[in-house]
Amino acid sequence: MFQTGRLVVFCGLLAQTLPLPMTPSLALSPTDLAGSLTSALSDGLLSKDLLDILENLPLSDILKTGGNSPSRLRGGLLGKVPLLTPLLNNIVDLKITDPQLLEPVLLKSPDGHCLYVTIPLAMVLHVKMPLVGSPLKLAVKLNITSELLAVKDEQEKFHLVHCNCTFSPGILQISLLDGLGALPSESLIDNITGILNNVLPGLVQGKVCPLVSEALDHLDATLVHSTVNALMYGLIKVS
């Protein structure tokens, strides 16, 4: 929410605040800007140990104990789908390997004054369950989306604002890479997918979104200047 004349932000953290002149001139071209911004965000996320954080997500502990998990897990999820309880209790271990940050994608709002940064992540899950024998190896992909806005306050300072870092329900993509001598039943894979859909995206969001804010905090000043001006004038171009 924003109020004209005063800066009223309910979106979250400010990436940088700069006393920038209101000018349509850009240090980077609108086309180069998109590539520079996604590259800088990728580098920033990787420098904040994104991949190590993903590999060490406490997913197995949450599934086993409920721990500090959201209410939709042991209570909400299993309360609504009681048949999943035996399945969940039979997950002996769940390990994340090979986390990857894929190339971020920029989308802009119709008026060009807002950017949506999609951060695609991939990983491999190894699920140990006695009832299916050898471990299942699952490829997982999901996207986190952050919104960037440019705002000017009453002191004529420009802000690159990071807000609404979210994931869309049902965006988890899971495919079987390897597993049993005989393929597991489709219902088993569907049940595992249902559990992960209710746990993994929120867990990743809680770890990745603060890193996006930190990466924005350390963007090069010239890049911030160009991004703010491009957003203010709707000049940014994305492929």
Side-chain angles (χ1 to χ4, degrees):
M1 175 179 178
F2 298 92
Q3 178 177 319
T4 305
R6 285 181 64 190
L7 175 64
V8 181
V9 181
F10 295 116
C11 292
L13 301 176
L14 298 182
Q16 288 197 32
T17 300
L18 299 174
L20 303 176
M22 184 114 175
T23 170
S25 64
L26 301 176
L28 297 170
S29 73
T31 302
D32 293 340
L33 179 58
S36 297
L37 184 57
T38 55
S39 178
L41 284 173
S42 292
D43 292 343
L45 289 170
L46 293 174
S47 72
K48 299 296 180 183
D49 297 323
L50 169 66
L51 300 186
D52 286 342
I53 289 171
L54 291 177
E55 192 164 6
N56 290 287
L57 288 173
L59 184 56
S60 182
D61 290 341
I62 288 176
L63 290 178
K64 287 178 182 177
T65 67
N68 296 319
S69 58
S71 60
R72 61 183 169 182
L73 297 185
R74 288 281 170 176
L77 170 63
L78 298 181
K80 294 178 181 177
V81 193
L83 292 178
L84 293 183
T85 303
L87 176 64
L88 195 57
N89 290 336
N90 273 282
I91 294 179
V92 175
D93 192 27
L94 198 157
K95 183 179 179 181
I96 298 173
T97 63
D98 304 317
Q100 298 178 59
L101 169 62
L102 307 179
E103 185 176 354
V105 176
L106 288 183
L107 296 174
K108 63 179 180 179
S109 61
D111 62 9
H113 297 307
C114 176
L115 277 179
Y116 302 97
V117 185
T118 298
I119 302 166
L121 303 168
M123 63 192 73
V124 175
L125 298 183
H126 302 263
V127 184
K128 282 187 179 181
M129 302 178 66
L131 61 86
V132 294
S134 59
L136 298 177
K137 189 176 179 181
L138 306 173
V140 178
K141 292 183 178 180
L142 72 159
N143 297 332
I144 300 293
T145 300
S146 290
E147 184 178 354
L148 302 181
L149 299 172
V151 180
K152 183 179 73 169
D153 65 16
E154 58 187 3
Q155 282 81 40
E156 300 297 311
K157 292 181 180 180
F158 292 79
H159 307 261
L160 184 60
V161 181
H162 169 224
C163 58
N164 298 329
C165 185
T166 61
F167 66 90
S168 299
I171 49 83
L172 201 63
Q173 300 177 34
I174 299 177
S175 57
L176 180 66
L177 290 177
D178 196 6
L180 324 167
L183 290 177
S185 68
E186 184 176 344
S187 62
L188 175 62
I189 296 299
D190 287 345
N191 286 336
I192 293 174
T193 298
I195 291 172
L196 293 175
N197 259 316
N198 280 274
V199 181
L200 188 58
L203 189 58
V204 171
Q205 178 192 21
K207 297 293 185 179
V208 173
C209 290
L211 296 184
V212 176
S213 293
E214 291 181 29
L216 289 171
D217 281 339
H218 294 89
L219 287 181
D220 176 77
T222 299
L223 180 57
V224 174
H225 179 287
S226 295
T227 302
V228 167
N229 274 310
L231 288 174
M232 294 296 290
Y233 285 92
L235 297 176
I236 198 164
K237 293 182 180 179
V238 297
S239 56

